[in-house]
Amino acid sequence: MKKIAVLTSGGDASGMNAAIRAVVRTGLYHGLEVFGIRRGYQGLIEGDIFRMATTDVSNIIQRGGTILKTARSQEFTTPEGRSKACKHLQEHGIEGLVVIGGDGSFKGARELAGECPHLRVIGIPGTIDKDIVGTDYTIGFDTAVNAAVENIDRIRDTAESHDRLFIIEVMGRDAGYIALNSGIACGAEDIFVPEEHTSISDLIKNLRYDKKRKKLVRIIVVAEGDEYGGAEKFRELIRNRFPGWEVRTAILGHLQRGGSPTYFDRVQASRMGYAAVNRLLEGGNSEMIGLQHGNIVHIGFDQACKKNKPMDLGQLEMAMVLSS
Ligand code: ATP
């Protein structure tokens, strides 16, 4: 293998730049030619490919987002789209591709690896949701949770000062890891995640109990994908049941995405980028680099693309006990 390429795909996540840097520098260290592909699979379809030098990744380890830019591409989900992508890789003589993204990106990578002759593909989990099977960690999660924690702490200050109930919506359409972890870290009184059934009767019971014992401040953290709905739905419900209560909402949204990556994201992204290139050189294909019990592992895309990473719901129970 003489030429490899790297792209970022799906939602951006802080730490992707550290992974790109590691892929480029590890490739160059081994004497490979390294190419960057802009705007994920869409850029690959359009042939937006350029040769990368070591200076192209200088001074990026501390930057959020992705210097390669990212995109979602409907065209790539079709065999015709992937055939165009394959053609561009072949024109450049690229035989190894590193895809940094989420499980959707890995499904695409698996298809491409199966259809494009002489191409091998390795994935690096880069998504703030931490919802990929086979890895304990995904790049961007730590930075996103820390951003949520910082903002929830600020909101608690004002909630305490005014004796208010706040419902804070954090990111997580299908996964509640940000809600669970920021909720625990901020001492939230209630946490709602997509992985568990939302019991409105329990919520009302808890609120009645708080009213009786005059606990006036309450922080509720809800993942955007909760089955009952987002923060506004919860506010409507509580206002109807407890007229006169001061209920406020805050939707943290994209505040959680950007920003300088934490040391943890930078280190894990560096380890994964380094491992991805070494795995390509060892002959690996259609695999994701993951982290299990602190160790770097590689897992087939078939496993990594499985839906529904199980959540340790015991932690939700613990959070309720600790905030009671
Ligand atoms: P995030 O977790 O941040 O959303 P993701 O990688 O899961 O990241 P997706 O939008 O699901 O984000 O996928 C990124 C891209 O991967 C899609 O825009 C599409 O081009 C490609 N892709 C997704 N699913 C498939 C599939 N089943 N077959 C082929 N390509 C796919």
Side-chain angles (χ1 to χ4, degrees):
M1 181 171 289
K2 293 197 167 54
K3 295 182 183 184
I4 64 168
V6 56
L7 62 79
T8 47
S9 170
D12 65 300
S14 280
M16 280 181 162
N17 282 330
I20 295 167
R21 171 180 175 270
V23 169
V24 171
R25 295 229 164 126
T26 308
L28 294 174
Y29 173 81
H30 287 293
L32 304 175
E33 268 184 53
V34 184
F35 292 83
I37 298 164
R38 293 190 193 88
R39 294 176 295 110
Y41 292 135
Q42 194 54 39
L44 183 54
I45 287 172
E46 293 166 16
D48 198 351
I49 301 172
F50 65 104
R51 178 99 181 260
M52 293 187 85
T54 191
T55 47
D56 289 321
V57 291
S58 298
N59 202 22
I60 66 165
I61 197 167
Q62 79 283 14
R63 281 167 56 188
T66 157
I67 59 157
L68 290 178
K69 301 190 181 292
T70 185
R72 303 192 199 264
S73 169
Q74 187 52 38
E75 196 179 352
F76 191 78
T77 62
T78 66
E80 296 75 30
R82 290 193 296 275
S83 155
K84 286 186 202 166
C86 175
K87 200 170 122 261
H88 287 301
L89 289 168
Q90 288 179 334
E91 278 166 6
H92 284 83
I94 294 165
E95 292 171 312
L97 176 65
V98 177
V99 171
I100 306 169
D103 62 335
S105 301
F106 296 159
K107 282 180 196 153
R110 182 178 53 185
E111 299 294 321
L112 187 67
E115 294 165 1
C116 194
H118 313 300
L119 178 71
R120 285 192 272 124
V121 187
I122 296 290
I124 295 178
T127 167
I128 64 169
D129 290 333
K130 209 179 77 148
D131 59 346
I132 298 181
V133 175
T135 183
D136 299 338
Y137 192 70
T138 62
I139 296 168
F141 175 74
D142 192 59
T143 306
V145 175
N146 276 298
V149 166
E150 191 188 325
N151 284 290
I152 296 170
D153 282 348
R154 285 169 196 259
I155 289 168
R156 193 183 270 285
D157 287 348
T158 179
E160 289 279 352
S161 305
H162 289 271
D163 290 337
R164 275 178 188 151
L165 188 160
F166 259 93
I167 304 154
I168 302 166
E169 182 181 310
V170 299
M171 278 188 163
R173 271 197 311 266
D174 305 307
Y177 289 98
I178 295 178
L180 174 70
N181 288 279
S182 62
I184 292 173
C186 296
E189 277 73 17
D190 268 305
I191 302 169
F192 294 103
V193 296
E195 289 86 347
E196 192 177 59
H197 170 63
T198 295
S199 168
I200 294 302
S201 58
D202 281 356
L203 171 65
I204 300 294
K205 207 161 70 193
N206 291 343
L207 291 173
R208 286 216 173 97
Y209 178 65
D210 283 358
K211 197 175 167 191
K212 221 159 82 191
R213 66 181 178 142
K214 300 204 163 27
K215 185 172 186 184
L216 298 168
V217 179
R218 179 171 259 271
I219 299 286
I220 297 175
V221 175
V222 50
E224 63 179 322
D226 181 75
E227 63 175 11
Y228 185 73
E232 289 304 328
K233 284 280 291 196
F234 278 88
R235 171 155 76 168
E236 218 177 283
L237 171 92
I238 296 169
R239 276 194 164 167
N240 287 340
R241 296 293 182 104
F242 300 93
W245 274 27
E246 286 249 37
V247 187
R248 295 281 193 277
T249 55
I251 298 171
L252 300 189
H254 286 83
L255 279 177
Q256 296 153 94
R257 267 202 193 278
S260 185
T262 60
Y263 102 85
F264 192 75
D265 270 322
R266 298 181 201 192
V267 171
Q268 302 317 328
S270 300
R271 293 177 74 194
M272 287 181 180
Y274 176 75
V277 176
N278 287 331
R279 192 63 200 141
L280 275 177
L281 292 172
E282 283 165 15
N285 187 19
S286 236
E287 294 170 354
M288 172 190 79
I289 298 297
L291 198 68
Q292 291 180 2
H293 310 294
N295 299 315
I296 290 286
V297 294
H298 47 91
I299 307 125
F301 279 147
D302 284 341
Q303 196 194 338
C305 291
K306 280 188 184 143
K307 265 272 154 231
N308 301 332
K309 178 170 171 161
M311 176 181 272
D312 174 8
L313 294 175
Q315 289 197 37
L316 273 180
E317 205 178 306
M318 177 197 77
M320 294 309 102
V321 171
L322 300 187
S323 65
S324 61

